[in-house]
Amino acid sequence: MNIVANWSYPTAIKMGRGRINELADACKSLGMKNPLLVTDRGLASMAITLGALDVMEEGGLGRAIFADVDPNPNEINLEAGVKAFKDGGHDGVVAFGGGSGLDLGKCVAFMAGQTRPVWDFEDIGDWWTRASIEGIAPIVAVPTTAGTGSEVGRASVITNSQTHVKKIIFHPKFLPGVVICDPELTMGMPKMITAGTGMDAFAHCLEAYSSPFYHPMSQGIALEGMRLVKEFLPRAYKEGADIEARTNMMAAAAMGATAFQKGLGAIHALSHPIGAVYNTHHGMTNAVVMPPVLTFNRQAIESRIEMAAAYLGISGGFDGFYNYVLELRALLSVPDNLTAMGIKPDRIDELSAMAIEDPSAGGNPVPMTLENTKELFKACF
């Protein structure tokens, strides 16, 4: 089944196989004449990236690329990216890749117009209103994984290289003007990345759905996102060239990030500091801590999870849903716990202090304190 669609929620999304060929037109629709493609080092020389640069060049837009991006992008990468943007006289960004390429690309487009340091725009209160809007460059986002959903996000996660703390940088203008979701770009993903990014999408949907804040639109999107993951992630994992599964996983990833405008929770509050300190894969870390967090939140979310289980065709209410998560993790070869990930429990105090400061913590259904977060971390080992 060939799936092709154009959506304008939450932004213009061009979904379907082969639609990378529309990249130059997408850039021109936002007024770009000389875009800079921003991606990570791993993708820089890959065929999908070279193909995207070919499309840009054939469209008369040059083939400028910046790829000095770490797996957890930091302010050093950002500074170099902004310099490349300005030195090249660029007028827009093609953010290309998984979470790191997308996040840094969006942030380069934003910071090209700012004079204040990036930390002044952390997602706290109305700090985003400090930004100068004039110089923010337009963005076309092209995801090459199906997980973070950063292509439809209004923020970027940037790691502070000094403190190793991940900071969420927010501004409404981070939202790309056009998104190209071409599932063919994800077909070469290794099994582990398919699993990790897919579980990231599931975590986004699950946490948004469980968050106590009022946002019925996000609620519905999160529920259907979980259903798509349940149906299509095992297929994408088993057979990487299953284009229907890859398309639906791209949809689920975008849905997860759209839904988590409602809030995230302890899964992300734990996995952000672990990723910052130990450089683990974000989605895989989410998957590892997911069962202990479900148990931690049970009293607050049991009836809601029972409804989700019914919609997903899982019998047994909360326990059935919990067991389904364990089965899905086993199918995808997710490590059983943090110990199996190679992490030692000697820094729980430090990680717990970082977790309760993480912006995701505020959306958890059970309020997170230093004490109960330490206990939760112990349960993850």
Side-chain angles (χ1 to χ4, degrees), residues 72-142:
N72 288 305
N74 57 38
E75 81 284 4
I76 300 165
N77 303 153
L78 177 60
E79 206 172 304
V82 172
K83 184 178 187 305
F85 183 90
K86 289 180 173 173
D87 289 353
H90 297 292
D91 56 5
V93 166
V94 175
F96 188 94
S100 25
L102 294 173
D103 276 11
L104 198 85
K106 284 160 42 178
C107 214
V108 165
F110 172 73
M111 287 303 292
Q114 311 309 321
T115 51
R116 303 174 71 134
V118 67
W119 312 124
D120 282 6
F121 307 108
E122 195 183 342
D123 189 13
I124 295 173
D126 61 357
W127 282 20
W128 65 273
T129 59
R130 299 167 167 180
S132 163
I133 294 178
E134 290 70 50
I136 300 174
I139 305 161
V140 173
V142 185

Side-chain angles (χ1 to χ4, degrees), residues 37-354:
L37 186 144
V38 178
T39 191
D40 64 66
R41 292 187 193 92
L43 275 168
S45 57
M46 286 181 68
I48 53 172
T49 313
L50 300 176
L53 291 168
D54 290 343
V55 174
M56 283 165 52
E57 191 171 40
E58 284 157 18
L61 299 176
R63 54 184 305 124
I65 180 172
F66 174 80
D68 197 8
V69 180
D70 291 308
N72 288 305
N74 57 38
E75 81 284 4
I76 300 165
N77 303 153
L78 177 60
E79 206 172 304
V82 172
K83 184 178 187 305
F85 183 90
K86 289 180 173 173
D87 289 353
H90 297 292
D91 56 5
V93 166
V94 175
F96 188 94
S100 25
L102 294 173
D103 276 11
L104 198 85
K106 284 160 42 178
C107 214
V108 165
F110 172 73
M111 287 303 292
Q114 311 309 321
T115 51
R116 303 174 71 134
V118 67
W119 312 124
D120 282 6
F121 307 108
E122 195 183 342
D123 189 13
I124 295 173
D126 61 357
W127 282 20
W128 65 273
T129 59
R130 299 167 167 180
S132 163
I133 294 178
E134 290 70 50
I136 300 174
I139 305 161
V140 173
V142 185
T144 62
T145 65
T148 68
S150 182
E151 66 273 10
V152 293
R154 300 173 301 167
S156 287
V157 179
I158 304 293
T159 301
N160 185 317
S161 67
Q162 302 298 311
T163 63
H164 300 292
V165 174
K166 290 189 172 192
K167 297 288 188 182
I168 297 175
I169 311 301
F170 169 86
H171 194 280
K173 290 277 184 189
F174 271 73
L175 185 67
V178 180
V179 177
I180 294 177
C181 286
D182 184 338
E184 283 188 322
L185 303 183
T186 70
M187 279 168 44
M189 272 198 292
K191 269 181 144 57
M192 193 208 97
I193 303 296
T194 297
T197 54
M199 288 303 288
D200 194 24
F202 190 77
H204 291 157
C205 292
L206 173 60
E207 293 218 282
Y209 178 76
S210 303
S211 155
F213 303 124
Y214 181 77
H215 200 322
M217 290 168 75
S218 286
Q219 199 78 350
I221 292 167
L223 193 55
E224 176 63 5
M226 283 193 277
R227 189 192 70 78
L228 290 178
V229 174
K230 180 174 182 280
E231 185 169 347
F232 293 105
L233 179 53
R235 280 176 51 180
Y237 181 75
K238 183 180 173 191
E239 178 46 70
D242 183 336
I243 198 76
E244 185 185 8
R246 291 293 195 190
T247 306
N248 278 288
M249 281 309 299
M250 289 201 103
M255 289 163 77
T258 303
F260 75 56
Q261 290 180 25
K262 177 173 177 266
L264 287 168
I267 292 174
H268 279 77
L270 266 58
S271 101
H272 283 153
I274 294 167
V277 172
Y278 295 100
N279 228 25
T280 56
H281 184 276
H282 171 67
M284 205 52 101
T285 313
N286 282 342
V288 169
V289 303
M290 192 178 286
V293 171
L294 276 169
T295 302
F296 180 78
N297 285 330
R298 180 169 187 157
Q299 67 193 66
I301 62 172
E302 186 154 8
S303 62
R304 191 170 283 188
I305 294 295
E306 283 170 359
M307 288 191 290
Y311 181 74
L312 297 172
I314 297 167
S315 58
F318 183 94
D319 290 327
F321 184 90
Y322 181 89
N323 290 331
Y324 160 71
V325 168
L326 294 182
E327 287 162 13
L328 179 62
R329 292 196 331 159
L331 178 76
L332 301 174
S333 300
V334 172
D336 285 339
N337 48 43
L338 292 178
T339 311
M341 269 192 125
I343 296 170
K344 294 184 170 64
D346 56 351
R347 296 175 74 173
I348 283 179
D349 288 1
E350 180 188 351
L351 293 170
S352 300
M354 291 166 75

